[in-house]
Amino acid sequence: MTIPAMIPWAAALVAILMAAMPVTRERLTRFAELTGLSVTEANARQIIDHFADLRRWRLIALAFTAPLVGFTNDPLYLVLGWCAVSVFRDVRLPDRAPHIHHDMTIHRGTWLLGLLGAVVAGGFLLDGRGVTPALPAHAVIVIIVAAAVPLAARKLSAGRPPSDGVAQAETALDHWSTRSLYLSSTAIVLSAALLSPWHPPTDERLEYTMPKPFPEYTAEFTTVDEYKKPTCAWIDQVDAPCRSWLVNGEPFPQAAPYIIKKGGAPRAAPFARRPDKKAIVYLTRHDRRMVHQDATGVHPLTGSLADTALPTLTFHGQSRYVALARDSATITDTKTWATTSIPGARKVHDLNGSGIVATTATRVLVVDHRGKTRLSLPHEKSSRDTYNLRPDGRQLVKIRRSKGAVETFTVATGERVSSVVPVFPVDDFLDIGLGWSKNNRFLVRAAVSEHAYEVDLSTGELRRHRK
């Protein structure tokens, strides 16, 4: 095991040794000064036993959490092991109604602000980094601590007014425990939001290597808030920012700025932003491949392509799938990077978990994610018809834009079960299908007003769709 890899184990060992140290006179003196308690022979043993018990349970907690620190490199478990006893040792339902001690109000406010800060910080980190392996464990710890604090606080606040030295010591210990409860729980939830597992640096061997040319700058991003195409004249060969795509206002030099096709002027190269703004697909400048890039890195979607052979790009399935279609179609799942090929497909119309709808020169196809054809219907070459597949994969809806008709087919048999012509208000008419709503109604868009309507597939009756 290398020295950097031993750091989490060393930190865990130091924490255990500190927890194993005996209760000192200085600590008891500090407790008496902070609480204003007069320590007598009658209550001294009670105070010593309290702190000894606290020390014993902290040592037990660290014995469980210290190995987790070593195996996961997550410092949160050190904070949890040290502070958990102050949070959970008094968790139980009291017999009396709660009453917060007046001098505990500031500590309770600190806890509430800390919990709010942890939630806000966690939300920002989730938006920036996405779901990391440690996130579920941290979230569970925050939820458990947030649920435990009110129960422990109620128990500590339900005691009787002090009447003698022993009772006064018990009240002082309750005050001290309540303070520790709020501060420890605050430390845990903030650590859960702000700390992440530590990754030791890779072991780089000190050996001679041939010098390499300085690599070209590669732009990165978390989200693509805005992007703009190149604005320099194509014949201008000056290496200026306007010769590149701009992402979030900065040059994006790895993307090809222009493509050249026979018989036409150069135009902007393919470049598309995913609907959720967290990824883009573009043609690379040097090797001329279509690639997918997000905050985690770059993944190639094709080999090197000539400018005359570039496919049409569409996103489907709530941004999960990328479809590239030309003489055939390739659908890539950006979570697993599995691909599905549809030979001869020139356009991908719709895609969900039940199947894919694509059209060739003469056929409209419904295929599953393994590429097996489930339905094949005639398709006119010059048609502007569009298609939508029901989420359960049982029905296919065809929008015949030339006739303003909505036709429904059964995928299993290919039988047309209905054909309706919706009547739109005033001079509006049918444009495209929008898929199914949450209440399983098929949606269409009007061409002029661009309003969305729910259409009854059996009668053609329209109803304005309200989000």
Side-chain angles (χ1 to χ4, degrees):
M1 183 180 294
T2 62
I3 293 179
M6 294 177 61
I7 292 178
W9 292 99
L13 178 61
V14 170
I16 291 177
L17 293 177
M18 292 178 62
M21 294 178 62
V23 180
T24 62
R25 179 183 298 274
E26 289 75 12
R27 184 175 184 183
L28 298 178
T29 302
R30 178 169 174 268
F31 164 74
E33 291 175 350
L34 290 176
T35 58
L37 176 68
S38 298
V39 180
T40 64
E41 293 184 1
N43 60 25
R45 174 50 56 185
Q46 182 182 8
I47 299 172
I48 294 173
D49 288 345
H50 171 84
F51 285 101
D53 184 63
L54 187 68
R55 165 181 165 271
R56 180 173 64 255
W57 282 108
R58 176 172 290 142
L59 190 59
I60 293 173
L62 283 170
F64 282 99
T65 60
L68 293 176
V69 178
F71 287 120
T72 66
N73 295 330
D74 194 339
L76 169 64
Y77 294 111
L78 267 188
V79 180
L80 180 64
W82 189 271
C83 299
V85 60
S86 297
V87 178
F88 296 104
R89 69 192 299 266
D90 294 304
V91 173
R92 60 179 67 104
L93 295 176
D95 296 330
R96 304 185 62 176
H99 174 71
I100 299 298
H101 301 298
H102 178 70
D103 55 350
M104 289 297 110
T105 303
I106 187 173
H107 297 299
R108 182 172 181 267
T110 301
W111 151 245
L112 293 177
L113 288 176
L115 181 60
L116 177 61
V119 173
V120 173
F124 276 111
L125 293 177
L126 178 61
D127 181 66
R129 302 178 184 174
V131 178
T132 62
L135 179 62
H138 286 213
V140 169
I141 290 173
V142 170
I143 292 172
I144 293 176
V145 170
V149 168
L151 297 178
R154 286 167 61 92
K155 186 268 176 185
L156 292 170
S157 304
R160 297 179 178 179
S163 58
D164 53 33
V166 175
Q168 290 175 353
E170 182 176 355
T171 300
L173 290 173
D174 279 353
H175 283 214
W176 183 271
S177 297
T178 304
R179 171 182 175 274
S180 299
L181 164 69
Y182 287 131
L183 297 182
S184 296
S185 56
T186 303
I188 292 174
V189 297
L190 288 178
S191 298
L194 301 177
L195 297 182
S196 59
W198 176 73
H199 298 286
T202 56
D203 184 17
E204 297 182 358
R205 298 182 179 181
L206 298 178
E207 58 182 21
Y208 177 77
T209 56
M210 292 295 294
K212 298 180 180 180
F214 187 77
E216 182 183 65
Y217 166 69
T218 300
E220 298 177 347
F221 59 85
T222 302
T223 59
V224 179
D225 299 318
E226 62 175 357
Y227 65 98
K228 295 180 180 180
K229 64 182 180 180
T231 56
C232 285
W234 181 76
I235 59 174
D236 185 0
Q237 299 299 319
V238 179
D239 187 14
C242 60
R243 292 279 301 158
S244 300
W245 285 87
L246 297 181
V247 173
N248 298 332
E250 297 294 331
F252 201 79
Q254 61 262 42
Y258 298 101
I259 59 173
I260 305 173
K261 291 188 177 182
K262 185 177 180 180
R267 63 175 184 267
F271 191 103
R273 179 178 63 178
R274 207 167 68 182
D276 63 3
K277 300 183 180 181
K278 293 186 178 182
I280 54 177
V281 174
Y282 58 90
L283 179 69
T284 55
R285 180 190 293 264
H286 297 299
D287 54 17
R288 313 301 279 189
R289 295 187 300 176
M290 296 294 294
V291 300
H292 176 281
Q293 181 174 345
D294 58 15
T296 63
V298 179
H299 196 284
L301 301 175
T302 69
S304 181
L305 299 171
D307 285 5
T308 56
L310 295 175
T312 301
L313 162 69
T314 50
F315 293 99
H316 296 279
Q318 296 180 340
S319 303
R320 175 173 176 172
Y321 298 92
V322 176
L324 300 176
R326 185 175 172 80
D327 299 323
S328 63
T330 301
I331 294 89
T332 303
D333 184 339
T334 60
K335 286 189 177 180
T336 64
W337 301 112
T339 59
T340 302
S341 297
I342 309 177
R346 298 184 177 183
K347 183 176 182 180
V348 176
H349 292 262
D350 195 13
L351 187 155
N352 57 39
S354 299
I356 306 164
V357 184
T359 50
T360 67
T362 58
R363 310 293 293 180
V364 53
L365 305 175
V366 176
V367 301
D368 61 21
H369 286 268
R370 294 173 296 180
K372 181 180 178 182
T373 300
R374 299 177 56 209
L375 175 66
S376 177
L377 297 173
H379 175 70
E380 299 176 6
K381 183 177 181 179
S382 60
S383 170
R384 297 188 300 121
D385 297 345
T386 60
Y387 302 86
N388 294 90
L389 182 65
R390 186 169 170 167
D392 60 12
R394 295 180 180 180
Q395 290 184 330
L396 175 70
V397 173
K398 175 181 180 180
I399 305 296
R400 302 193 65 179
R401 300 177 70 180
S402 59
K403 296 184 178 181
V406 180
E407 298 180 351
T408 306
F409 296 85
T410 301
V411 172
T413 63
E415 177 187 2
R416 187 175 71 178
V417 295
S418 67
S419 178
V420 297
V421 179
V423 179
F424 288 82
V426 196
D427 296 327
D428 226 339
F429 57 94
L430 179 63
D431 185 18
I432 61 172
L434 301 176
W436 273 262
S437 66
K438 294 181 180 180
N439 59 355
N440 208 28
R441 300 270 187 174
F442 187 70
L443 302 177
V444 295
R445 187 178 69 192
V448 178
S449 65
E450 297 187 351
H451 291 157
Y453 291 89
E454 298 177 359
V455 57
D456 189 318
L457 295 176
S458 60
T459 66
E461 180 182 353
L462 292 176
R463 183 172 64 181
R464 182 75 179 275
H465 177 64
R466 305 292 182 183
K467 294 183 179 180

mmCIF file of all heavy atoms in Angstrom, residues 3-27:
data_model
loop_
_atom_site.group_PDB
_atom_site.id
_atom_site.type_symbol
_atom_site.label_atom_id
_atom_site.label_comp_id
_atom_site.label_asym_id
_atom_site.label_seq_id
_atom_site.Cartn_x
_atom_site.Cartn_y
_atom_site.Cartn_z
ATOM 1 N N ILE A 3 2.037 5.284 0.349
ATOM 2 C CA ILE A 3 1.857 6.251 1.437
ATOM 3 C C ILE A 3 0.588 7.078 1.268
ATOM 4 O O ILE A 3 -0.187 7.248 2.229
ATOM 5 C CB ILE A 3 3.103 7.153 1.545
ATOM 6 C CG1 ILE A 3 4.313 6.312 2.012
ATOM 7 C CG2 ILE A 3 2.844 8.312 2.498
ATOM 8 C CD1 ILE A 3 5.590 7.097 2.139
ATOM 9 N N PRO A 4 0.267 7.616 0.065
ATOM 10 C CA PRO A 4 -0.997 8.363 -0.074
ATOM 11 C C PRO A 4 -2.216 7.518 0.244
ATOM 12 O O PRO A 4 -3.188 8.016 0.824
ATOM 13 C CB PRO A 4 -0.980 8.797 -1.545
ATOM 14 C CG PRO A 4 0.462 8.824 -1.927
ATOM 15 C CD PRO A 4 1.078 7.694 -1.173
ATOM 16 N N ALA A 5 -2.183 6.220 -0.114
ATOM 17 C CA ALA A 5 -3.329 5.362 0.151
ATOM 18 C C ALA A 5 -3.493 5.068 1.634
ATOM 19 O O ALA A 5 -4.583 4.688 2.090
ATOM 20 C CB ALA A 5 -3.191 4.054 -0.626
ATOM 21 N N MET A 6 -2.427 5.258 2.423
ATOM 22 C CA MET A 6 -2.488 4.988 3.868
ATOM 23 C C MET A 6 -3.022 6.172 4.659
ATOM 24 O O MET A 6 -3.309 6.032 5.855
ATOM 25 C CB MET A 6 -1.090 4.614 4.383
ATOM 26 C CG MET A 6 -0.561 3.298 3.837
ATOM 27 S SD MET A 6 1.118 2.947 4.415
ATOM 28 C CE MET A 6 0.858 2.875 6.193
ATOM 29 N N ILE A 7 -3.151 7.333 4.018
ATOM 30 C CA ILE A 7 -3.578 8.535 4.751
ATOM 31 C C ILE A 7 -4.946 8.355 5.415
ATOM 32 O O ILE A 7 -5.117 8.694 6.594
ATOM 33 C CB ILE A 7 -3.557 9.755 3.817
ATOM 34 C CG1 ILE A 7 -2.115 10.088 3.433
ATOM 35 C CG2 ILE A 7 -4.236 10.954 4.462
ATOM 36 C CD1 ILE A 7 -1.980 11.255 2.470
ATOM 37 N N PRO A 8 -5.992 7.833 4.705
ATOM 38 C CA PRO A 8 -7.285 7.638 5.382
ATOM 39 C C PRO A 8 -7.197 6.698 6.583
ATOM 40 O O PRO A 8 -7.841 6.941 7.614
ATOM 41 C CB PRO A 8 -8.182 7.056 4.285
ATOM 42 C CG PRO A 8 -7.549 7.498 3.010
ATOM 43 C CD PRO A 8 -6.084 7.489 3.274
ATOM 44 N N TRP A 9 -6.399 5.626 6.457
ATOM 45 C CA TRP A 9 -6.241 4.706 7.604
ATOM 46 C C TRP A 9 -5.546 5.401 8.771
ATOM 47 O O TRP A 9 -5.910 5.187 9.944
ATOM 48 C CB TRP A 9 -5.443 3.482 7.175
ATOM 49 C CG TRP A 9 -6.174 2.591 6.207
ATOM 50 C CD1 TRP A 9 -6.037 2.537 4.866
ATOM 51 C CD2 TRP A 9 -7.182 1.629 6.541
ATOM 52 N NE1 TRP A 9 -6.882 1.609 4.311
ATOM 53 C CE2 TRP A 9 -7.598 1.030 5.329
ATOM 54 C CE3 TRP A 9 -7.767 1.214 7.729
ATOM 55 C CZ2 TRP A 9 -8.579 0.039 5.281
ATOM 56 C CZ3 TRP A 9 -8.742 0.223 7.695
ATOM 57 C CH2 TRP A 9 -9.140 -0.347 6.477
ATOM 58 N N ALA A 10 -4.541 6.228 8.468
ATOM 59 C CA ALA A 10 -3.840 6.947 9.532
ATOM 60 C C ALA A 10 -4.775 7.926 10.239
ATOM 61 O O ALA A 10 -4.759 8.050 11.478
ATOM 62 C CB ALA A 10 -2.631 7.679 8.946
ATOM 63 N N ALA A 11 -5.601 8.632 9.461
ATOM 64 C CA ALA A 11 -6.549 9.562 10.068
ATOM 65 C C ALA A 11 -7.537 8.833 10.963
ATOM 66 O O ALA A 11 -7.894 9.309 12.051
ATOM 67 C CB ALA A 11 -7.291 10.329 8.965
ATOM 68 N N ALA A 12 -8.011 7.657 10.525
ATOM 69 C CA ALA A 12 -8.944 6.880 11.341
ATOM 70 C C ALA A 12 -8.281 6.425 12.630
ATOM 71 O O ALA A 12 -8.895 6.443 13.707
ATOM 72 C CB ALA A 12 -9.446 5.680 10.538
ATOM 73 N N LEU A 13 -6.999 5.998 12.552
ATOM 74 C CA LEU A 13 -6.286 5.557 13.751
ATOM 75 C C LEU A 13 -6.106 6.703 14.740
ATOM 76 O O LEU A 13 -6.276 6.519 15.965
ATOM 77 C CB LEU A 13 -4.927 4.973 13.345
ATOM 78 C CG LEU A 13 -4.033 4.499 14.494
ATOM 79 C CD1 LEU A 13 -4.725 3.384 15.277
ATOM 80 C CD2 LEU A 13 -2.674 4.025 13.972
ATOM 81 N N VAL A 14 -5.758 7.894 14.247
ATOM 82 C CA VAL A 14 -5.598 9.063 15.130
ATOM 83 C C VAL A 14 -6.913 9.378 15.843
ATOM 84 O O VAL A 14 -6.935 9.682 17.046
ATOM 85 C CB VAL A 14 -5.102 10.268 14.314
ATOM 86 C CG1 VAL A 14 -5.165 11.541 15.150
ATOM 87 C CG2 VAL A 14 -3.692 10.036 13.818
ATOM 88 N N ALA A 15 -8.045 9.301 15.106
ATOM 89 C CA ALA A 15 -9.338 9.577 15.720
ATOM 90 C C ALA A 15 -9.656 8.569 16.823
ATOM 91 O O ALA A 15 -10.185 8.935 17.888
ATOM 92 C CB ALA A 15 -10.433 9.550 14.651
ATOM 93 N N ILE A 16 -9.343 7.288 16.599
ATOM 94 C CA ILE A 16 -9.598 6.270 17.621
ATOM 95 C C ILE A 16 -8.732 6.520 18.855
ATOM 96 O O ILE A 16 -9.192 6.405 20.005
ATOM 97 C CB ILE A 16 -9.338 4.867 17.038
ATOM 98 C CG1 ILE A 16 -10.411 4.535 15.986
ATOM 99 C CG2 ILE A 16 -9.330 3.811 18.135
ATOM 100 C CD1 ILE A 16 -10.200 3.209 15.306
ATOM 101 N N LEU A 17 -7.458 6.874 18.656
ATOM 102 C CA LEU A 17 -6.567 7.140 19.795
ATOM 103 C C LEU A 17 -7.056 8.345 20.606
ATOM 104 O O LEU A 17 -7.000 8.341 21.846
ATOM 105 C CB LEU A 17 -5.144 7.378 19.290
ATOM 106 C CG LEU A 17 -4.445 6.153 18.673
ATOM 107 C CD1 LEU A 17 -3.074 6.541 18.140
ATOM 108 C CD2 LEU A 17 -4.324 5.031 19.705
ATOM 109 N N MET A 18 -7.540 9.384 19.907
ATOM 110 C CA MET A 18 -8.056 10.558 20.615
ATOM 111 C C MET A 18 -9.313 10.198 21.414
ATOM 112 O O MET A 18 -9.504 10.677 22.538
ATOM 113 C CB MET A 18 -8.368 11.671 19.622
ATOM 114 C CG MET A 18 -7.140 12.264 18.957
ATOM 115 S SD MET A 18 -7.566 13.537 17.739
ATOM 116 C CE MET A 18 -8.373 14.747 18.800
ATOM 117 N N ALA A 19 -10.174 9.344 20.820
ATOM 118 C CA ALA A 19 -11.387 8.951 21.537
ATOM 119 C C ALA A 19 -11.070 8.071 22.735
ATOM 120 O O ALA A 19 -11.840 8.036 23.712
ATOM 121 C CB ALA A 19 -12.325 8.217 20.571
ATOM 122 N N ALA A 20 -9.949 7.337 22.676
ATOM 123 C CA ALA A 20 -9.592 6.425 23.771
ATOM 124 C C ALA A 20 -8.923 7.139 24.940
ATOM 125 O O ALA A 20 -8.733 6.528 26.007
ATOM 126 C CB ALA A 20 -8.668 5.326 23.233
ATOM 127 N N MET A 21 -8.555 8.413 24.784
ATOM 128 C CA MET A 21 -7.900 9.142 25.875
ATOM 129 C C MET A 21 -8.855 9.290 27.058
ATOM 130 O O MET A 21 -10.043 9.554 26.866
ATOM 131 C CB MET A 21 -7.449 10.519 25.386
ATOM 132 C CG MET A 21 -6.358 10.481 24.327
ATOM 133 S SD MET A 21 -5.896 12.130 23.748
ATOM 134 C CE MET A 21 -5.292 12.849 25.274
ATOM 135 N N PRO A 22 -8.379 9.113 28.274
ATOM 136 C CA PRO A 22 -9.262 9.196 29.456
ATOM 137 C C PRO A 22 -9.788 10.608 29.683
ATOM 138 O O PRO A 22 -9.237 11.588 29.166
ATOM 139 C CB PRO A 22 -8.341 8.761 30.607
ATOM 140 C CG PRO A 22 -6.957 9.049 30.117
ATOM 141 C CD PRO A 22 -6.978 8.819 28.633
ATOM 142 N N VAL A 23 -10.888 10.697 30.431
ATOM 143 C CA VAL A 23 -11.475 11.996 30.765
ATOM 144 C C VAL A 23 -10.529 12.737 31.700
ATOM 145 O O VAL A 23 -10.140 12.215 32.748
ATOM 146 C CB VAL A 23 -12.850 11.817 31.422
ATOM 147 C CG1 VAL A 23 -13.441 13.183 31.763
ATOM 148 C CG2 VAL A 23 -13.778 11.038 30.503
ATOM 149 N N THR A 24 -10.146 13.957 31.334
ATOM 150 C CA THR A 24 -9.175 14.729 32.118
ATOM 151 C C THR A 24 -9.878 15.694 33.068
ATOM 152 O O THR A 24 -11.039 16.054 32.883
ATOM 153 C CB THR A 24 -8.252 15.508 31.177
ATOM 154 O OG1 THR A 24 -9.036 16.428 30.414
ATOM 155 C CG2 THR A 24 -7.528 14.570 30.206
ATOM 156 N N ARG A 25 -9.120 16.114 34.071
ATOM 157 C CA ARG A 25 -9.635 17.091 35.028
ATOM 158 C C ARG A 25 -9.939 18.415 34.318
ATOM 159 O O ARG A 25 -10.905 19.094 34.667
ATOM 160 C CB ARG A 25 -8.606 17.302 36.147
ATOM 161 C CG ARG A 25 -9.046 18.330 37.204
ATOM 162 C CD ARG A 25 -7.963 18.538 38.231
ATOM 163 N NE ARG A 25 -7.671 17.321 38.940
ATOM 164 C CZ ARG A 25 -8.342 16.909 40.026
ATOM 165 N NH1 ARG A 25 -9.331 17.640 40.495
ATOM 166 N NH2 ARG A 25 -8.011 15.795 40.641
ATOM 167 N N GLU A 26 -9.106 18.765 33.321
ATOM 168 C CA GLU A 26 -9.327 20.019 32.598
ATOM 169 C C GLU A 26 -10.688 20.020 31.906
ATOM 170 O O GLU A 26 -11.380 21.042 31.849
ATOM 171 C CB GLU A 26 -8.215 20.245 31.568
ATOM 172 C CG GLU A 26 -6.850 20.589 32.162
ATOM 173 C CD GLU A 26 -6.170 19.365 32.768
ATOM 174 O OE1 GLU A 26 -6.655 18.226 32.510
ATOM 175 O OE2 GLU A 26 -5.177 19.547 33.487
ATOM 176 N N ARG A 27 -11.086 18.866 31.346
ATOM 177 C CA ARG A 27 -12.376 18.817 30.660
ATOM 178 C C ARG A 27 -13.524 18.992 31.651
ATOM 179 O O ARG A 27 -14.510 19.689 31.351
ATOM 180 C CB ARG A 27 -12.513 17.487 29.923
ATOM 181 C CG ARG A 27 -13.793 17.402 29.101
ATOM 182 C CD ARG A 27 -13.849 16.148 28.299
ATOM 183 N NE ARG A 27 -15.034 16.141 27.445
ATOM 184 C CZ ARG A 27 -15.382 15.132 26.650
ATOM 185 N NH1 ARG A 27 -14.623 14.048 26.606
ATOM 186 N NH2 ARG A 27 -16.470 15.193 25.915
#
